[in-house]
Amino acid sequence: MKIYPYKRLNRPVVLRVTSVSLKLADGTRDQLETTAYSTQQQTVALGIAGHTDWVSARVGLSATLPPGANAPDAAWSDLKVLAVLTDGETNVRTSAPLTRDAEDGRDWSGFLEVFRDDHMGRASLAVYAVGTVDEVRGRSIAETDRSWIVDTVSDEPVRGLQLDVQKASFKKSAREWLQAYADAPWIVDTSTRVPTVFVNTDVEGVMGLLDSNGSGVDTKVRDLLVAQMATDVWTAVFHGAIGDLEVEPGGGPVFPTDWQGEVLREMLPDVIPGVHVEEALRQVHRRRTGESGWVELQTRIHYAAVRRADASKALAYAIRSLEQMNRESET
């Protein structure tokens, strides 16, 4: 939790997306259905309409400030509410002011314009209430505690980690760097916009096992294989995210706004339990860049990855299946 040298609201701003429309190349607008955004996932999917010629998207927003925002004795004045869209990949930041719905009310609304050429994938949408405190303008009074995701590519408003899975012959691949891993069944590449899992088709039986959809032992072994792959993926993307953090002038780490931020928010509660994710990020960053504590943290990181991969469930299913086969063979 951050410490502020001035009074603030203790609760977060609640943000809702109320509408989404696309401006097409011919100047017309396509009002998207509510399936283009998910309140539960807090995600907007601008690819859902299937347009390839959209120029910009207008996202309707509604924000509710915490109680006390309009208190007569509030420590701030000149209250304003801003929606801010941040893209960590293209370094574009877009802001739009919201308007109070009713005098002395806590509900604010407005629109944010998202320009397609400014983004390549996912951007993070947050709302800030700002005001003048102790004669200092633009101080943050409250903000959303969890940003929405605006995905300019996806056709499904899903917040979770997106992966690109590709099959490749590591020995013969045009990607020469894969040749060094010719005996590995798969490799995770976290240097791309979307983390990519390369599955090695040279390893005999791997593709057949992954593609199996029967109901026998093969399926249980496949589930174990997928769980192991998922564990490797979560471990790799965590290390990729924590190793590429921006640092504030004071030395504190900044939460990424793309898939890296999603991974960290998902895994940090298991890596450093019992604290807010921002504090957990600071602790992990200190251990990674400091003199001690990073090696000891690897067990927690692996545990977090195992949980995300549901490895225990896959193992339990496989064991039960084998026990059943053994009982049947004895009768």
Side-chain angles (χ1 to χ4, degrees):
M1 180 179 294
K2 291 184 178 180
I3 304 299
Y4 294 86
Y6 57 89
K7 290 185 178 180
R8 282 170 38 95
L9 292 166
N10 295 324
R11 294 169 60 184
V13 177
V14 177
L15 171 62
R16 296 171 297 278
V17 170
T18 57
S19 65
V20 180
S21 65
L22 296 180
K23 182 180 180 181
L24 307 182
D26 61 4
T28 61
R29 279 200 174 270
D30 183 5
Q31 187 72 35
L32 303 188
E33 297 181 359
T34 56
T35 52
Y37 53 93
S38 169
T39 301
Q40 181 178 9
Q41 295 284 329
Q42 292 187 297
T43 303
V44 179
L46 298 179
I48 196 169
H51 291 295
T52 58
D53 60 344
W54 66 276
V55 177
S56 64
R58 178 174 292 177
V59 182
L61 304 173
S62 175
T64 301
L65 303 191
N70 305 321
D73 58 348
W76 48 83
S77 59
D78 302 324
L79 185 64
K80 295 179 176 61
V81 178
L82 298 174
V84 180
L85 184 71
T86 306
D87 192 320
E89 184 175 1
T90 60
N91 291 322
V92 171
R93 177 171 293 187
T94 306
S95 63
L98 303 185
T99 304
R100 198 194 309 259
D101 293 348
E103 187 176 354
D104 294 330
R106 293 190 290 116
D107 293 326
W108 297 62
S109 60
F111 296 91
L112 178 77
E113 203 75 18
V114 181
F115 294 94
R116 185 177 186 179
D117 288 345
D118 288 343
H119 308 281
M120 297 177 63
R122 292 186 158 197
S124 178
L125 174 61
V127 166
Y128 298 85
V130 300
T132 299
V133 184
D134 298 334
E135 300 183 352
V136 179
R137 298 177 58 190
R139 282 185 157 174
S140 178
I141 306 303
E143 58 277 322
T144 46
D145 60 349
R146 190 187 189 203
S147 298
W148 276 65
I149 297 296
V150 177
D151 195 320
T152 60
V153 178
S154 178
D155 59 1
E156 185 178 0
V158 177
R159 189 180 185 92
L161 175 65
Q162 290 186 321
L163 294 174
D164 182 14
V165 180
Q166 297 187 21
K167 305 173 186 177
S169 169
F170 286 16
K171 294 178 181 178
K172 302 176 183 177
S173 176
R175 299 179 178 86
E176 295 184 358
W177 64 271
L178 280 177
Q179 297 174 14
Y181 308 103
D183 58 345
W186 57 77
I187 286 291
V188 184
D189 182 10
T190 62
S191 65
T192 53
R193 181 178 65 84
V194 176
T196 302
V197 182
F198 291 98
V199 181
N200 190 358
T201 57
D202 298 328
V203 177
E204 185 177 357
V206 169
M207 292 312 306
L209 194 58
L210 290 175
D211 293 337
S212 64
N213 54 8
S215 58
V217 177
D218 285 354
T219 301
K220 304 305 178 186
V221 176
R222 180 204 63 194
D223 292 345
L224 276 176
L225 187 65
V226 170
Q228 179 59 57
M229 182 185 295
T231 300
D232 291 349
V233 168
W234 279 106
T235 303
V237 294
F238 182 87
H239 281 282
I242 206 69
D244 194 29
L245 292 175
E246 292 185 14
V247 179
E248 293 176 327
V254 178
F255 251 111
T257 56
D258 51 10
W259 65 263
Q260 296 174 329
E262 288 299 302
V263 166
L264 293 175
R265 291 185 186 278
E266 179 74 18
M267 295 183 66
L268 281 172
D270 282 328
V271 177
I272 304 289
V275 300
H276 191 275
V277 289
E278 290 188 355
E279 173 59 26
L281 180 65
R282 285 191 286 269
Q283 290 189 27
V284 172
H285 178 68
R286 283 198 298 267
R287 295 194 189 191
R288 191 185 70 84
T289 58
E291 297 180 356
S292 62
W294 179 239
V295 173
E296 292 78 7
L297 205 60
Q298 301 310 302
T299 301
R300 297 293 313 183
I301 295 172
H302 183 260
Y303 168 69
V306 167
R307 288 198 64 192
R308 298 303 169 287
D310 273 340
S312 297
K313 184 184 297 183
L315 179 60
Y317 286 159
I319 291 173
R320 283 199 295 267
S321 180
L322 290 173
E323 289 176 344
Q324 182 178 354
M325 286 184 58
N326 290 334
R327 286 194 299 268
E328 292 173 353
S329 64
E330 292 172 358
T331 59

